[in-house]
């Protein structure tokens, strides 16, 4: 068997998580990531017949049966993913019954997947219907998005509009806008259902007074979405106590959308 730590999917996951930590998005154990790994990518790295243990969960993920995920461990620090990947990450397969995860690698100190596993798996199920190439669900606590939550109404239309106006690239990067949920109890099936519902339409979903969820075809896409929104929120916060004398106008946003041929959310600047 080849060393899974040397696989390209594993190295990418480690590097992205390191980047998330260094952006200040993941204090202590804050945040979680799940990456759908294909059969082909795992070939030669893992004996798929050796299940270390099974971990139950109380929702149905039958649609994901047989699929493999590299996922962060609950309560573990993102800061330690580089030095201790075997305890901070696990490779699981969703069992046939859709109610168990089969652990194939990792979670070495007896750990389990993130407490946000319902949100991750429900969002994977939803996004695969919208985009069969979706592979990543990412959650974290970026400082400026959270600061903005304290001063901005938690409303999808006005947040989308204000964020599009904070940076020229924003309407191009997230033309569908930003989904927003009110504060909800985290770690539950309910917040998972609400987040996955939003992900029918959005790749970015704000969890009010908690953080952000993003998805993507790969780790770069999910990371880049959060990075762009976090930059917009930073500019919003840096200018929130100043008199704003310049803005990107609605006409300029339309010009951008037409030039870059993006289908932007209607009802925001119309
Ligand atoms: P976990 O450590 O269980 O992943 O929880 C972190 C978190 O951000 C909860 O929302
Ligand atoms: Zn969180």
């Amino acid at each position: 068997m080849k060393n899974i730590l040397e696989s390209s999917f594993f190295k990418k996951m480690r590097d992205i998580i390191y980047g998330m930590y260094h952006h200040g998005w993941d204090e202590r154990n804050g945040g979680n990531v799940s990456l759908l790994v294909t059969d082909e990518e795992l070939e030669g790295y893992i004996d798929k017949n050796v299940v270390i243990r099974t971990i139950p969960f109380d929702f149905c993920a039958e649609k994901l049966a047989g699929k493999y995920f590299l996922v962060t461990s609950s309560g573990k620090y993102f800061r330690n993913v580089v030095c201790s990947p075997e305890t901070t990450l696990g490779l699981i397969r969703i069992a046939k019954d859709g109610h168990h995860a089969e652990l194939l690698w990792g979670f070495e100190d007896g750990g389990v997947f993130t407490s946000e596993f319902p949100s991750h798996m429900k969002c994977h199920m939803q996004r695969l219907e919208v985009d069969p190439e979706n592979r990543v669900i990412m959650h974290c606590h970026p400082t400026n998005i959270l600061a903005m939550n304290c001063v901005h109404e938690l409303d999808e239309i006005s947040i989308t509009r204000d964020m599009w106006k904070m940076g020229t690239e924003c309407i191009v990067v997230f033309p569908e806008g930003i989904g927003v949920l009110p504060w909800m109890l985290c770690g539950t099936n309910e917040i998972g259902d609400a987040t996955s519902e939003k992900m029918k339409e959005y790749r970015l979903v704000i969890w009010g007074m908690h953080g952000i969820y993003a998805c993507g075809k790969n780790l770069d896409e999910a990371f880049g979405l959060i990075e762009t929104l976090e930059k917009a929120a930073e500019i919003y916060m840096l200018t929130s106590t100043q008199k704003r004398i310049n803005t990107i106008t609605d006409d300029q946003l339309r010009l951008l959308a037409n030039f870059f041929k993006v289908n932007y959310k209607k009802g925001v600047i119309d």
Side-chain angles (χ1 to χ4, degrees), residues 34 57 59 61 64 69 71 92 94 116-126 137:
S34 58
F57 52 84
F59 59 93
L64 298 174
F69 293 92
V71 58
I92 55 139
I94 303 298
E116 305 297 0
F117 199 64
S119 288
H120 279 256
M121 293 302 117
K122 286 169 186 276
C123 287
H124 275 292
M125 287 189 270
Q126 183 58 65
I137 301 295

Side-chain angles (χ1 to χ4, degrees), residues 29-32 73-75 114-116 139 141 210:
N29 66 308
N32 21 78
S73 185
S74 184
T114 170
S115 59
E116 305 297 0
H139 166 63
H141 307 158
H210 180 141

Side-chain angles (χ1 to χ4, degrees), residues 166 235-247:
M166 288 300 119
I235 295 164
Y236 183 87
M237 292 312 298
L238 283 171
T239 56
S240 64
T241 55
Q242 321 273 330
K243 185 173 180 310
R244 294 191 181 105
I245 58 169
N246 293 309
T247 186

Side-chain angles (χ1 to χ4, degrees), residues 78-96:
F78 269 30
R79 181 162 54 81
N80 293 334
V81 166
V82 171
C83 64
S84 186
E86 303 87 352
T87 58
T88 50
L89 294 168
L91 179 78
I92 55 139
R93 177 174 58 208
I94 303 298
K96 278 200 189 76

Side-chain angles (χ1 to χ4, degrees), residues 222-239:
F223 185 96
L225 281 165
I226 296 174
E227 194 175 31
T228 309
L229 177 58
E230 170 64 356
K231 170 64 76 74
E234 183 175 8
I235 295 164
Y236 183 87
M237 292 312 298
L238 283 171
T239 56

Side-chain angles (χ1 to χ4, degrees), residues 89-110:
L89 294 168
L91 179 78
I92 55 139
R93 177 174 58 208
I94 303 298
K96 278 200 189 76
D97 67 1
H99 286 274
H100 291 81
E102 298 168 332
L103 179 64
L104 301 173
W105 177 90
F107 298 160
E108 268 188 10
D109 57 357

Side-chain angles (χ1 to χ4, degrees), residues 179-243:
V180 178
L181 288 175
W183 184 91
M184 291 178 75
L185 188 61
C186 56
T188 60
N189 284 339
E190 287 70 30
I191 200 167
D193 289 334
T195 312
S196 62
E197 187 61 30
K198 290 288 180 196
M199 281 208 174
K200 280 183 182 164
E201 186 179 353
Y202 302 107
R203 288 170 300 154
L204 280 165
V205 180
I206 289 176
W207 274 12
M209 300 307 293
H210 180 141
I212 186 80
Y213 260 77
C215 63
K217 295 182 201 306
N218 52 51
L219 288 157
D220 278 334
E221 182 186 353
F223 185 96
L225 281 165
I226 296 174
E227 194 175 31
T228 309
L229 177 58
E230 170 64 356
K231 170 64 76 74
E234 183 175 8
I235 295 164
Y236 183 87
M237 292 312 298
L238 283 171
T239 56
S240 64
T241 55
Q242 321 273 330
K243 185 173 180 310

